[in-house]
Amino acid sequence: MGGKRERWDSRSAFVLAAIGSAIGLGNVWRFPYIAYDNGGGAFLIPYFVALLTAGIPLMILEMGVGQILQGGAPTALAKVKKSFEWVGWYAILVAAVITFYYCVIMAWAMNYLIHSLTLKWSNWTPEGAIPANPAEGITYEGAFFNDFILRVSDGPQHLGNISTPLIIGLAITWFLIYLSIRKGVLTVGKVVLVTVPLPFVLLIILFFRGITLPGAIDGIEAYLHPDFNALKDINVWAAAFGQIFFSLSVGFGVMIAYASFRPKNSDIVNNAFITSLANCGTSFFAGFAVFSILGYMANVQGKEVAEVASSGLGLAFVAFPTAITLLPVGAQIVAVLFFLMLLALGIDSAFSLVEAASTAFSDELKINRHLTTVILCVIGFIAGLVFITDGGLHWLDIIDNWMNAWGLMVVAFFEALLIGWFFNIGHLRDKIDQCSEIKAGKWWPFMIKWVATPILGIIIVWNYINESQHPYGNGAYPEWALQQGGWGIMFVLLVLSFLLSTGGTSEFISKEEAAK
Ligand code: PHE
């Protein structure tokens, strides 16, 4: 493709962007709750095992493949072997679907940011309805999230209308994404100078606010209190691996795309370690901020921490606003800081997903990169509309579950399997080591072949057995919705990946290398 590939301004621009992609909403709302739910302090064991045996090895693999082969996920994998290309496309398509709803969550956060100024969630009631009754578990904050922001319908069959405040938030989100990536990694390298440190500073402020509140210690105790029995549960291990991949942004083609804009001989292994450790350290730290504030809330309301810690999205959009309202002073300021932090955390993860797709399409189909970016942003905005209808939350929940369990796990498994078992991984290792400060050595191929591949395979089989015995949502969703939003979308993406991989590049790494 000639020698004109765009380049990062510097190594630090690349590393910051990789860290920005990894550190996202997942570190603040997902990690603490998943840890709490899966054995508390004991969860850290499977989490670090997952990091060392699969997270970091796959990070090295993605960064290595992208940089050495100088292409987005499909192009790079096609250069390894043409028959691997579909895995790259599947990664990109899964990433695209995730972006569609990830940006919707940012649109929610934007709405919350505006309402932070008046703490509107603390006293909003639906017109003509009975005021929220905390004794019956109906809270103002829950009602605000479900009925004011989302207007959640009674099931996925009722889509209803598109919400006006959310469509404005979604449009602004996509516009910001476009601005951040309009000149590819050149603009990305500048934007991350703000979006990576900013949430960090905000998190540190929230951490100190949190741990100095009464009851904070009970929250932290609940967060870290180990339940070693959890280690016997395979679901806990599956949760740890899932969280590691989602959090590191590995299995989406993002790291392949970002690394493809580095000169061929730059460091790989050290960068992979820096990115992974910075990400997991942030998650661990965020847990203290989140749980100290939940501990405070439990303390004020005279409840157990277990009763106030709600899962996933509820944590960021219901529990946290509730806790903030209870603060004696400066509640508005803390609210603004919190939602600003969510936005700053999310934006660089969101645009990294779009960058991965834009790199893939422009490399493979040879379309102008700026045009590709514009088209992708418009498609992303339109596709997101379904999630801001009244029934949107149901679809978001179903699709999120499938894309994680069946999207990124499958990509990660095939990356490990194909490179580890159907390719000369020693050859790739030598190339990686030639340019790296720290060497991947024998450890890396061993982990990919003998640890990551079988463990990922077992988790996929396990997820399948689990899903067939307990369909997702505990009966909350009709079967057809799971079939369409879950298996249906996954199947369509797989077919599209194979179709997309039928044309294009057919150079093999071996040929390229043989020429040397
Ligand atoms: N890693 C991001 C998070 O923790 C999510 C993400 C996944 C971003 C995949 C980009 C790619 O929130």
Side-chain angles (χ1 to χ4, degrees), residues 21-27 102 246-249 252 254 349-350 352-353:
S21 169
I23 301 182
L25 302 177
N27 299 61
Y102 203 85
F246 182 82
S247 189
L248 292 180
S249 305
F252 299 88
V254 170
S349 300
S352 71
L353 289 160

Side-chain angles (χ1 to χ4, degrees), residues 263-348:
K264 254 187 169 178
N265 56 355
S266 8
D267 175 82
I268 294 168
V269 180
N270 204 3
N271 288 341
F273 269 94
I274 295 174
T275 307
S276 309
L277 296 178
N279 175 66
C280 295
T282 308
S283 285
F284 185 56
F285 180 65
F288 286 90
V290 170
F291 273 88
S292 59
I293 292 180
L294 294 180
Y296 167 70
M297 177 163 133
N299 182 292
V300 173
Q301 299 181 336
K303 291 183 182 161
E304 292 291 317
V305 177
E307 292 175 68
V308 297
S310 57
S311 76
L313 293 173
L315 184 67
F317 294 98
V318 180
F320 239 71
T322 313
I324 291 174
T325 317
L326 296 174
L327 292 176
V329 279
Q332 279 97 332
I333 298 177
V334 175
V336 168
L337 292 182
F338 178 71
F339 288 107
L340 210 54
M341 176 182 79
L342 284 191
L343 289 170
L345 278 171
I347 188 86
D348 41 16

Side-chain angles (χ1 to χ4, degrees), residues 162-317:
I162 288 177
S163 145
T164 313
L166 289 181
I167 201 175
I168 297 173
L170 191 63
I172 299 177
T173 305
W174 277 103
F175 187 63
L176 291 177
I177 292 181
Y178 165 73
L179 286 183
S180 311
I181 60 175
R182 69 184 189 289
K183 296 213 179 113
V185 296
L186 274 184
T187 35
V188 167
K190 307 223 160 49
V191 174
V192 292
L193 290 176
V194 179
T195 57
V196 175
L198 177 69
F200 221 82
V201 173
L202 300 178
L203 186 61
I204 292 174
I205 299 176
L206 289 174
F207 170 80
F208 282 109
R209 176 68 276 216
I211 55 160
T212 50
L213 288 167
I217 198 74
D218 300 333
I220 293 173
E221 158 83 20
Y223 169 46
L224 294 180
H225 183 78
D227 168 12
F228 288 102
N229 272 329
L231 296 182
K232 293 187 211 135
D233 183 353
I234 181 161
N235 285 316
V236 169
W237 288 86
F241 278 81
Q243 174 61 18
I244 279 290
F245 290 130
F246 182 82
S247 189
L248 292 180
S249 305
V250 155
F252 299 88
V254 170
M255 296 303 171
I256 300 187
Y258 272 5
S260 77
F261 300 114
R262 300 219 67 209
K264 254 187 169 178
N265 56 355
S266 8
D267 175 82
I268 294 168
V269 180
N270 204 3
N271 288 341
F273 269 94
I274 295 174
T275 307
S276 309
L277 296 178
N279 175 66
C280 295
T282 308
S283 285
F284 185 56
F285 180 65
F288 286 90
V290 170
F291 273 88
S292 59
I293 292 180
L294 294 180
Y296 167 70
M297 177 163 133
N299 182 292
V300 173
Q301 299 181 336
K303 291 183 182 161
E304 292 291 317
V305 177
E307 292 175 68
V308 297
S310 57
S311 76
L313 293 173
L315 184 67
F317 294 98

